[in-house]
Amino acid sequence: MSFGSRARAAMAAYGPACVGIDPHASLLAEWGLPDDVEGLDRFATTCVEAFAGKVAFVKPQSAFFERFGARGVVVLERTIQDLRHTGSLVILDVKRGDIGSTAAAYADAYLDEDAPMAADAITVSPFLGFGSLQPFFDVAAKNDAGVFVLALTSNPEGPEVQHARNGDTTVAGAILAKLAELNAGQHLMGSFGAVVGATIGDAAEDLAINGPLLVPGFGAQGGTVDDIRRLFGSVIDNVIPSTSRGVLSAGPDVQALRDSVARVNAELVGS
């Protein structure tokens, strides 16, 4: 099954919520864990126990593992492997973007099913030119994986690039239009999605790309169900709202974490 088809099935089975696994220092401290590889390992193991086969999507943030060096990457690799094939889909948040053979190497590292760190989908940056992402799309299609392209991010620096205009089209609008072309004709939902923040205020772009919309900023960062309803309207069924601290603050108790994400899904489905 394509990533889009698997994503649609997972959303139907568990609800649309994506739990971000972001083991930054303050969260490790809240859980009573040391800010070292041992603390990272205990954090990640708890997240696997709490969420594997219980939520549709989990989104490890690679940077928070990489900051511990090679041993942290080992924890990330094991976390991805433990989460996959449980019914939960892993979206690895790496925001890679490069050109030529380097882009192809990144694609092989994260999207080739035989790679040690293969995920179900990854995030990528298009700001070296949308065409530079072709290796990611090619490897993803070959391996039934997904790609989420940054389009309308909620960080305050984003608009200077994403809202820039080329004639009648913004940079973000062009990215979304090209994703719609890649997903054209795909049944249920295409596998190439966009990252659109829950706190951007007003999308002002056509979000009907026939693909998944990964929406960070929901929950503790300020995005609400009302924001999602207003921003996404008729394409709300394709929305994957992502929350990290809003769920993880319930830890480290496994059942409390499961209850927290269940409440999030109930709120989202009720929207």
Side-chain angles (χ1 to χ4, degrees):
M1 293 175 66
S2 69
F3 174 77
S5 297
R6 288 185 288 127
R8 180 67 78 204
M11 294 165 80
Y14 302 113
C18 172
V19 179
I21 300 181
D22 298 356
H24 45 74
S26 62
L27 190 52
L28 292 176
E30 285 182 23
W31 281 29
L33 298 173
D35 187 23
D36 57 23
V37 174
E38 286 70 27
L40 173 72
D41 188 36
R42 288 166 59 190
F43 180 94
T45 299
T46 300
C47 287
V48 170
E49 182 180 357
F51 304 129
K54 303 293 183 181
V55 299
F57 307 95
V58 285
K59 184 172 69 67
Q61 169 49 260
S62 183
F64 291 116
F65 293 81
E66 292 176 32
R67 71 189 184 97
F68 293 105
R71 294 175 66 198
V73 174
V74 168
V75 175
L76 176 59
E77 182 179 310
R78 187 176 66 248
T79 300
I80 293 170
Q81 292 175 355
D82 288 347
L83 284 165
R84 294 194 70 202
H85 313 300
T86 65
S88 298
L89 302 181
V90 176
I91 302 170
L92 182 58
D93 197 352
V94 288
K95 298 183 178 71
R96 296 295 190 247
D98 217 305
I99 59 173
S101 60
T102 310
Y106 278 135
D108 288 340
Y110 301 117
L111 296 171
D112 189 312
E113 186 62 34
D114 293 328
M117 208 174 293
D120 295 289
I122 63 169
T123 58
V124 298
S125 173
F127 300 116
L128 285 173
F130 194 87
S132 68
L133 300 178
Q134 193 61 49
F136 295 99
F137 299 134
D138 290 344
V139 176
K142 182 179 178 181
N143 291 274
D144 290 327
V147 177
F148 287 92
V149 181
L150 301 180
L152 287 166
T153 60
S154 54
N155 62 301
E157 303 86 358
E160 67 180 271
V161 173
Q162 296 160 20
H163 294 180
R165 305 191 73 86
N166 181 12
D168 294 331
T169 306
T170 64
V171 170
I175 291 167
L176 292 164
K178 289 174 180 177
L179 286 169
E181 291 177 9
L182 289 175
N183 291 322
Q186 294 298 306
H187 180 58
L188 295 179
M189 184 166 64
S191 296
F192 303 131
V195 178
V196 179
T199 57
I200 60 172
D202 183 5
E205 302 288 355
D206 185 1
L207 299 176
I209 63 170
N210 190 32
L213 299 165
L214 181 62
V215 181
F218 176 72
Q221 294 183 41
T224 67
V225 169
D226 287 341
D227 291 326
I228 289 175
R229 184 186 302 117
R230 175 178 53 80
L231 283 170
F232 297 99
S234 62
V235 296
I236 197 168
D237 287 346
N238 287 16
V239 169
I240 302 171
S242 179
T243 177
S244 176
R245 183 174 293 276
V247 169
L248 297 178
S249 61
D253 181 79
V254 168
Q255 189 57 52
L257 288 165
R258 290 176 179 171
D259 291 343
S260 181
V261 74
R263 287 192 295 271
V264 170
N265 268 319
E267 183 182 7
L268 290 167
V269 172
S271 69

